[in-house]
Amino acid sequence: MNLKRSSSKGRMLAPDVALDLRYLDGIICAAEIGSFRRAADLLNISQSTLSRRVQMLEHRLGLLLFERTPMGVVTTDAGAAFIREATTTARHFRQELDNISNGLTNNQNVLRIGTTLSLTDFRLSCLLNAFRDQHPSVEIRFEEAKSANIAESVRRGRLDLAFVTGKPILPECEAMTISMSQLYAILPQNHPLADLTEINVSDLHDEILIISEEEAGPYIESVLQRSQEELTCKLKLSRQRVGRENLIFLVSRGFGLTILTSPIRRDVYPDVISRPVGGAAGSLPLSILWRRANDNSALHDLVLLAQYRMASRKFFDLSTCACGEPRNVC
């Protein structure tokens, strides 16, 4: 823990609570339970200690994290956003401590992969299957998060590589586009646009488009915004902090339409259908991102495998599986 020392009297001041996991554990637990008293009981500390830690952290951040009510506590909007990030930070920090304790730091037999994409994407699943066949002793650890967070984790060396949408440009990093992914509009099966075989952005000007703030959502939004500027049409965007499954559920219940990087299976989601998006907005690049200075041999083996599959066009050699979805031929 970092301690600050007074330059005038040499005495120790209060610890920097932003770097103390106990403070993060306290606010995360209180947010989940909605009560300082019950959270303190679970953490085996007094309620006054927990309340004091929350107040110190609020003072340190300059934010009100909780609203106190007679029924307990609820997070403010700023508090909810901070706690989401704090939960991820605490998990990552403990994972790194475990890695160090188990001697796994810089271990050539561990490959840490971040992704903003669904690993069910046939390009990624086939690449990973081929890699595992060739390197069965390598342990692969996956992490799903926002694109900006994952890219920064790669740059700092906490992750070995990431599968991302777009082709990010970052200092000290390399990015390689492995394929262009077709985008699909997802809509209720009885929607008027369901009669079209292909949907253009101009067809969506009267529709509510539900865009995820997770996974590929931000990049899809940027593609749509560029298209609407060119077409001078106004899109109605509804941003939601949900993943693919809940996006499809919202569409099935009439909340709007959405755009995904792969089609849906009708046998799994009978109430919705998918149609390819046409024009320049109909595709987006899928890329691998890694840090140049990373000397993990497993990382370099995966990058070389991806380059080989691109050169042999195995990322683009498609067939149809039993469910009717496109699938890579390995």
Side-chain angles (χ1 to χ4, degrees):
M1 181 189 302
N2 285 11
L3 296 177
K4 298 180 180 179
R5 185 179 297 275
S6 168
S7 58
S8 59
K9 297 184 179 180
R11 59 187 176 86
M12 302 304 292
L13 300 181
D16 186 350
V17 297
L19 302 180
D20 192 330
L21 283 179
R22 293 176 301 173
Y23 291 82
L24 298 184
D25 288 340
I27 65 167
I28 292 169
C29 188
E32 291 177 347
I33 295 176
S35 166
F36 284 165
R37 179 183 60 79
R38 285 185 289 156
D41 289 341
L42 281 176
L43 296 170
N44 199 27
I45 59 177
S46 68
Q47 181 177 344
S48 60
T49 296
L50 178 57
S51 297
R52 185 167 61 252
R53 288 178 180 177
V54 171
Q55 291 170 359
M56 292 176 67
L57 189 53
E58 288 178 327
H59 177 74
R60 170 70 169 77
L61 297 172
L63 296 172
L64 183 66
L65 300 176
F66 293 95
E67 293 180 359
R68 283 72 169 172
T69 72
M71 301 298 293
V73 293
V74 294
T75 56
T76 62
D77 289 343
F82 175 79
I83 289 168
R84 280 193 298 268
E85 297 300 325
T87 302
T88 302
T89 299
R91 185 177 68 250
H92 290 168
F93 187 74
R94 287 192 170 93
Q95 180 66 62
E96 291 304 316
L97 290 178
D98 290 342
N99 289 347
I100 293 172
S101 298
N102 296 326
L104 294 177
T105 303
N106 295 325
N107 192 319
Q108 301 298 300
N109 285 326
V110 175
L111 188 61
R112 302 162 299 174
I113 298 178
T115 182
T116 62
L117 308 170
S118 170
L119 294 175
T120 59
D121 183 287
F122 62 92
R123 301 166 186 85
L124 302 187
S125 62
C126 288
L127 174 62
L128 292 171
N129 286 340
F131 179 81
R132 291 180 65 209
D133 287 343
Q134 296 180 18
H135 305 276
S137 64
V138 174
E139 178 187 355
I140 303 179
R141 296 181 177 178
F142 294 101
E143 177 179 315
E144 186 176 356
K146 293 181 182 177
S147 180
N149 294 346
I150 281 183
E152 184 63 16
S153 293
V154 170
R155 193 181 72 83
R156 292 181 177 274
R158 197 180 60 75
L159 291 174
D160 293 308
L161 79 153
F163 296 124
V164 296
T165 50
K167 190 174 182 181
I169 300 175
L170 286 177
E172 308 168 13
C173 293
E174 294 282 353
M176 177 177 69
T177 297
I178 59 175
S179 69
M180 297 297 294
S181 179
Q182 172 69 51
L183 294 180
Y184 293 86
I186 311 300
L187 53 154
Q189 62 175 351
N190 59 353
H191 193 280
L193 294 178
D195 293 332
L196 300 178
T197 58
E198 183 180 85
I199 293 178
N200 294 310
V201 174
S202 57
D203 298 322
L204 303 173
H205 68 280
D206 287 328
E207 306 293 338
I208 296 176
L209 274 179
I210 311 168
I211 300 296
S212 172
E213 294 184 0
E214 314 292 340
E215 301 177 347
Y219 195 88
I220 292 174
E221 180 177 345
S222 68
V223 170
L224 293 173
Q225 287 177 336
R226 286 198 299 271
S227 296
Q228 75 171 347
E229 291 170 1
E230 296 172 2
L231 299 172
T232 65
C233 62
K234 183 69 173 177
L235 297 177
K236 304 171 186 176
L237 301 182
S238 173
R239 299 174 182 85
Q240 304 290 337
R241 192 179 291 273
V242 298
R244 176 186 172 91
E245 298 297 319
N246 282 325
L247 283 176
I248 297 173
F249 172 80
L250 292 174
V251 170
S252 70
R253 293 299 182 267
F255 284 81
L257 313 184
T258 193
I259 305 291
L260 298 178
T261 57
S262 60
I264 53 93
R265 290 177 50 175
R266 291 299 306 279
D267 59 330
V268 178
Y269 305 105
D271 297 329
V272 297
I273 61 171
S274 53
R275 294 288 182 266
V277 177
S283 62
L284 77 167
L286 304 182
S287 301
I288 297 177
L289 178 71
W290 72 95
R291 186 168 172 261
R292 295 189 193 101
N294 191 326
D295 61 357
N296 189 332
S297 61
L299 161 65
H300 297 294
D301 289 339
L302 181 59
V303 172
L304 287 174
L305 178 61
Q307 291 172 335
Y308 163 75
R309 293 175 70 83
M310 287 179 61
S312 62
R313 299 191 63 80
K314 285 195 174 183
F315 274 122
F316 307 95
D317 187 11
L318 306 183
S319 66
T320 302
C321 69
C323 68
E325 286 191 301
R327 181 177 62 187
N328 193 272
V329 179
C330 296

